[in-house]
Amino acid sequence: MSRLFNLLANLFPFWVLIFSGLALFFPAWFTWFSGSMIVWGLAVIMIGMGITLSFEDFHRVTRSARPVLIGIAAQFAVMPLLGWAIASAFALETQLAVGLILVACCPGGTASNVVSYIARADVALSVLMTMCSTFAAVIMTPLLTRWLAGAYVPVDAWSLFFNTLQVVVLPVTLGMLLNRYTPRLVQAVMPVAPLVSVIVIALICASIIGANAGTIRDSALPLLSAVALLHLGGFTLGYVMARLLKLEERVCRTISIEVGMQNSGLGAVLARSSFAQMALAPVPSAISASFHSIIGSLFAAWWRLKSAERSALNTEPDTGEKRDEIAAELSKRSAE
């Protein structure tokens, strides 16, 4: 049963894409999932992340400090500036521009851990980076959003700070406490937790897209292009930055994935709560969830193929030359 749950959870891009696509044409199927249900849904996701962590994980950060710090710096430097630049270049209307900048200022998403596994990257480092960027987001997301989106609309950084605190720190901490004090309960729910998170994210995205289906269809090309370019740029620049700093290949892949994949569910909830007057602000986050999953899956498949090719090249075939070398060595040993 656990294998089935894992298989269904690993199809994350498929579920988000299918739910979002159906929401464009059958909005009523998904718009019922709205209001406080979205907030509680994100809380469930963050608790699910929390139960995979322990307080001892913070000690591990000190042993992997350099790649973690580089990854977090890239997360909150590359993506926010890239989001602002793309919103300006595409001349997105105010609500969509604010939404794009907000999701660009969000931390890495938990789906990055799955993609890191598929890409044969450093999964443990991916989990650490997701955890650290999530807690850093309590400060960084409000500050960066106010700085970069403030040119479009007034941004209440304190309100954004408290909203982030409520939907990130509290549920993640609760999950960590459950992990520590109720291990049997955590062990029982762990197999199904990733699948529940995937379904909730798909429902959040589909609900937002369904509620704004007409507007999305009308402005599909610039909006979809902007979101796709944001994530494609994040993956590419994250990898290049890590390579320039001479990190090993697995770490470069991990940082690329962490930078390129945002916590789109958090972006959607923050957009709804902090920019309630902007109905379209959550839309880039909803589309982001589909795009970063698809792009991440493609990168992961490519890297996995490269790893397989490299392994094959490193395995020396039993050629005639190799056999001659072995025969010479045996003759030498016989003579001795």
Side-chain angles (χ1 to χ4, degrees), residues 249 253 303-315:
E249 174 65 18
R253 295 180 186 182
W303 278 325
R304 190 177 183 88
L305 181 62
K306 284 186 63 178
S307 295
E309 290 176 350
R310 189 176 293 111
S311 297
L313 289 174
N314 289 337
T315 303

Side-chain angles (χ1 to χ4, degrees), residues 22 33 85 123 128 155 170 206 230 269 322:
L22 288 173
F33 192 83
V123 179
L128 280 173
V155 177
L170 296 181
L230 171 68
V269 170
K322 185 69 175 178

Side-chain angles (χ1 to χ4, degrees), residues 8-40:
L8 293 175
N10 288 341
L11 292 174
F12 172 67
F14 172 79
W15 300 124
V16 174
L17 190 62
I18 291 297
F19 279 37
S20 299
L22 288 173
L24 279 174
F25 302 98
F26 307 100
W29 289 10
F30 303 97
T31 50
W32 57 269
F33 192 83
S34 60
S36 61
M37 295 180 70
I38 291 180
V39 177
W40 283 106

Side-chain angles (χ1 to χ4, degrees), residues 109-336:
T110 53
S112 62
N113 307 147
V114 177
V115 172
S116 293
Y117 171 74
I118 297 171
R120 293 181 176 172
D122 191 330
V123 179
L125 177 62
S126 175
V127 172
L128 280 173
M129 287 179 59
T130 301
M131 176 185 70
C132 292
S133 68
T134 297
F135 282 103
V138 177
I139 302 296
M140 299 303 296
T141 297
L143 289 179
L144 290 168
T145 303
R146 180 173 183 174
W147 176 42
L148 296 171
Y152 291 90
V153 292
V155 177
D156 187 343
W158 280 110
S159 173
L160 195 54
F161 167 77
F162 285 114
N163 287 331
T164 310
L165 186 69
Q166 290 174 350
V167 299
V168 173
V169 175
L170 296 181
V172 170
T173 303
L174 175 59
M176 294 172 69
L177 290 171
L178 289 173
N179 186 6
R180 181 161 189 166
Y181 295 109
T182 60
R184 290 185 179 178
L185 174 63
V186 168
Q187 189 176 7
V189 303
M190 189 71 80
V192 74
L195 179 58
V196 171
S197 296
V198 165
I199 293 173
V200 172
I201 291 174
L203 284 173
I204 290 174
C205 296
S207 172
I208 293 169
I209 288 176
N212 302 278
T215 305
I216 294 173
R217 288 195 297 265
D218 293 340
S219 58
L221 183 59
L223 178 58
L224 296 179
S225 300
V227 175
L229 189 58
L230 171 68
H231 291 295
L232 188 59
F235 279 103
T236 304
L237 293 175
Y239 184 85
V240 169
M241 181 176 175
R243 291 296 292 179
L244 290 175
L245 292 170
K246 302 186 184 302
L247 298 176
E248 63 174 288
E249 174 65 18
R250 291 180 71 231
V251 175
C252 292
R253 295 180 186 182
T254 308
I255 290 177
S256 171
I257 292 165
E258 286 297 317
V259 174
M261 300 188 72
Q262 305 298 92
N263 190 333
S264 303
L266 175 62
V269 170
L270 292 179
R272 289 175 64 90
S273 57
S274 299
F275 301 101
Q277 74 280 14
M278 297 185 174
L280 297 179
V283 172
S285 292
I287 296 173
S288 165
S290 300
F291 273 59
H292 77 201
S293 301
I294 295 168
I295 295 172
S297 298
L298 292 174
F299 269 100
W302 179 47
W303 278 325
R304 190 177 183 88
L305 181 62
K306 284 186 63 178
S307 295
E309 290 176 350
R310 189 176 293 111
S311 297
L313 289 174
N314 289 337
T315 303
E316 293 183 312
D318 187 17
T319 60
E321 182 180 351
K322 185 69 175 178
R323 286 196 299 271
D324 290 342
E325 291 176 4
I326 295 172
E329 179 66 18
L330 289 174
S331 298
K332 181 180 177 182
R333 291 182 181 180
S334 298
E336 291 173 351

